[in-house]
Amino acid sequence: NEKTRKVAEGHALNEQVEQYVIEIDKLNSIINSIEKEMAILRRKYEQAVEARNFTGTQLIDRNDELCILWEKSNIQEKLLKKGEEAMLARQEEIRGLKIDLSEVYRQLRVVRGSIPEVPKLVEEVVRLREQVGSVRKHTDELSRELENPKSSLRKWRKLKGEDLDSESLRVKIQELEERLNDKKESLLEKELILEEVTALSEKLRNQAIDGRQGTMELSQKVNAFQSRIKDVTRKMMATVSELSMHQATAHKLQQERDDVCERVMMARERFRNGEPPTDTAEAEFFKMLQVEQQREVDKQAAVQRKQEEEIMNSNFTRTTAEPRVNAYIPEDEHGLPKAYGSNAPFKPTLAGATMRHI
């Protein structure tokens, strides 16, 4: 008996060791799969970091471009402001010209209103023409008197100075022509500069309009890149947290595997020495035997109960009706139950739900 018990204990311990070995293999497979997942996650993390760095460099480049465009936009806004000021000045001139035009229209209306006085004005014109004719005659007479040196009305005197010769006059005329040509050249240069400035202002105005549209598109792209960076960063943080969780799980499983390996080694060493694998192995073995015995007892009881139920079912009719009292205990010295017979007491039915309305 002792030998059989020891052999049974040895078999049980061997089975337990085999179970431990199987669990160790399962844990090793789980750790290998987790390490593979960790490697995959590490590669994904490196790819995400590379994508983030690439996106960051692109964002820096776009930010520099945006700064350059903002500088250009500021310059163009200044030019536009100057152009708007010039346009306001021209509008003021146009307003003044409109005022002058309205004054001319007013004078024209006044003149048109004075048309009925034309005959009087014609007479006035005839009279003024006669006066002009008489004055011209008098002027002609005075001119002839002045041209006549011997006239008594003429009063003249010699002026000091000398008349220039033809060579001096030619030199002076040449100097004046050179000055005139210089002025014309400077005027042409200023006109060319004015045309260039006008063309540049038109070009800058068009560039400013295009720059605003480009700035809006670039700002939209920057916003899209920023949202993408936020999404990538959020995913990366989630991946990092998941990776840390897997690392913690792998560390825990590895620690459990080490503990199980250590317990298995100790169990084998103690088994070689003829001792129980663990301190509680003997108690667990006895408990397992008790459980097996209790299971056998329960199984036998279940079989016996089933047999009794089959016997009962074979002798009596199976029904779901509520059992009724068919015997009573008389008041005698024996106290044995006695059947009612054909005069069984009446048992009323249960009151229904409608009794409360009666």
Side-chain angles (χ1 to χ4, degrees):
N1 292 330
E2 185 69 21
K3 184 178 179 180
T4 304
R5 189 172 63 81
K6 292 293 183 181
V7 170
E9 289 179 359
H11 286 299
L13 292 174
N14 287 326
E15 290 178 358
Q16 191 173 4
V17 169
E18 289 177 357
Q19 289 179 359
Y20 285 155
V21 171
I22 293 169
E23 289 180 358
I24 289 169
D25 294 334
K26 288 182 180 179
L27 292 173
N28 287 326
S29 63
I30 291 169
I31 289 168
N32 292 327
S33 63
I34 289 174
E35 287 179 352
K36 290 180 182 178
E37 290 180 359
M38 287 174 63
I40 294 169
L41 290 173
R42 192 176 291 109
R43 286 196 296 272
K44 288 183 180 179
Y45 175 72
E46 291 175 356
Q47 292 175 1
V49 170
E50 291 178 358
R52 183 196 65 181
N53 295 330
F54 179 70
T55 308
T57 54
Q58 283 188 346
L59 181 61
I60 291 170
D61 295 335
R62 296 298 179 272
N63 193 8
D64 294 336
E65 292 177 1
L66 182 61
C67 293
I68 294 169
L69 289 173
W70 274 114
E71 292 293 332
K72 290 182 179 180
S73 177
N74 292 328
I75 294 169
Q76 290 169 0
E77 285 180 357
K78 290 180 181 178
L79 293 174
L80 284 174
K81 190 175 181 181
K82 291 181 180 179
E84 288 176 356
E85 291 177 355
M87 288 177 66
L88 290 174
R90 296 295 178 273
Q91 288 178 0
E92 290 292 331
E93 291 180 359
I94 291 169
R95 190 171 64 82
L97 292 173
K98 286 182 179 180
I99 292 170
D100 295 337
L101 183 62
S102 62
E103 181 66 22
V104 171
Y105 281 149
R106 188 185 65 79
Q107 292 178 0
L108 181 62
R109 287 195 297 273
V110 171
V111 170
R112 286 180 180 176
S114 61
I115 287 176
E117 298 179 356
V118 171
K120 296 181 181 179
L121 295 175
V122 170
E123 294 177 358
E124 184 70 20
V125 168
V126 172
R127 186 176 62 78
L128 291 174
R129 284 179 179 176
E130 291 176 356
Q131 290 181 359
V132 168
S134 61
V135 170
R136 283 180 178 176
K137 289 179 181 180
H138 186 64
T139 303
D140 292 335
E141 290 177 358
L142 291 174
S143 298
R144 286 193 295 272
E145 289 292 332
L146 289 172
E147 290 174 357
N148 187 8
K150 296 180 179 181
S151 175
S152 60
L153 297 175
R154 184 182 177 108
K155 295 180 180 180
W156 57 277
R157 62 184 178 83
K158 292 182 178 181
L159 297 174
K160 295 180 180 181
E162 57 183 5
D163 294 334
L164 299 175
D165 55 354
S166 60
E167 188 67 25
S168 303
L169 291 172
R170 190 179 297 108
V171 171
K172 194 168 183 179
I173 289 169
Q174 189 174 0
E175 290 178 357
L176 293 173
E177 286 178 353
E178 289 178 356
R179 288 176 63 187
L180 181 61
N181 291 327
D182 293 336
K183 296 293 182 183
K184 286 182 179 179
E185 288 179 359
S186 64
L187 180 61
L188 288 174
E189 289 178 356
K190 289 181 179 180
E191 287 179 354
L192 290 174
I193 291 169
L194 179 61
E195 289 178 358
E196 290 178 357
V197 170
T198 305
L200 287 173
S201 63
E202 292 293 333
K203 186 177 179 181
L204 288 173
R205 184 180 289 107
N206 295 327
Q207 287 180 358
I209 294 169
D210 297 335
R212 288 179 180 175
Q213 295 177 356
T215 305
M216 291 294 293
E217 293 177 356
L218 186 59
S219 62
Q220 291 176 358
K221 289 182 180 179
V222 168
N223 292 328
F225 278 122
Q226 287 179 353
S227 63
R228 285 179 61 188
I229 286 170
K230 288 180 180 179
D231 293 336
V232 171
T233 305
R234 194 180 299 111
K235 290 180 181 178
M236 186 177 65
M237 293 299 291
T239 305
V240 168
S241 62
E242 189 176 356
L243 180 62
S244 63
M245 185 177 66
H246 284 297
Q247 285 179 351
T249 306
H251 182 69
K252 184 179 178 182
L253 291 173
Q254 190 172 5
Q255 188 175 2
E256 290 179 358
R257 185 192 66 178
D258 295 336
D259 295 338
V260 171
C261 289
E262 187 177 357
R263 282 188 290 173
V264 169
M265 294 297 292
M266 290 177 65
R268 286 179 178 175
E269 186 68 25
R270 295 182 68 174
F271 186 71
R272 289 193 193 99
N273 295 329
E275 297 177 358
T278 59
D279 295 334
T280 59
E282 190 172 359
E284 290 178 356
F285 181 72
F286 285 125
K287 187 176 180 181
M288 184 172 64
L289 291 176
Q290 289 177 1
V291 170
E292 289 293 333
Q293 291 175 1
Q294 185 66 33
R295 189 178 294 117
E296 288 293 332
V297 171
D298 293 338
K299 187 175 180 181
Q300 292 177 2
V303 171
Q304 186 176 0
R305 189 166 50 254
K306 186 176 181 182
Q307 291 176 357
E308 291 177 356
E309 288 179 356
E310 288 178 355
I311 292 169
M312 291 291 291
N313 291 330
S314 63
N315 295 328
F316 300 97
T317 303
R318 187 176 180 84
T319 180
T320 58
E322 185 180 357
R324 294 178 176 272
V325 179
N326 56 5
Y328 68 97
I329 298 173
E331 295 179 358
D332 55 5
E333 57 184 6
H334 300 292
L336 297 176
K338 185 177 181 180
Y340 282 113
S342 60
N343 297 319
F346 173 74
K347 184 179 180 181
T349 58
L350 296 174
T354 58
M355 289 292 292
R356 57 193 178 128
H357 301 294
I358 298 173

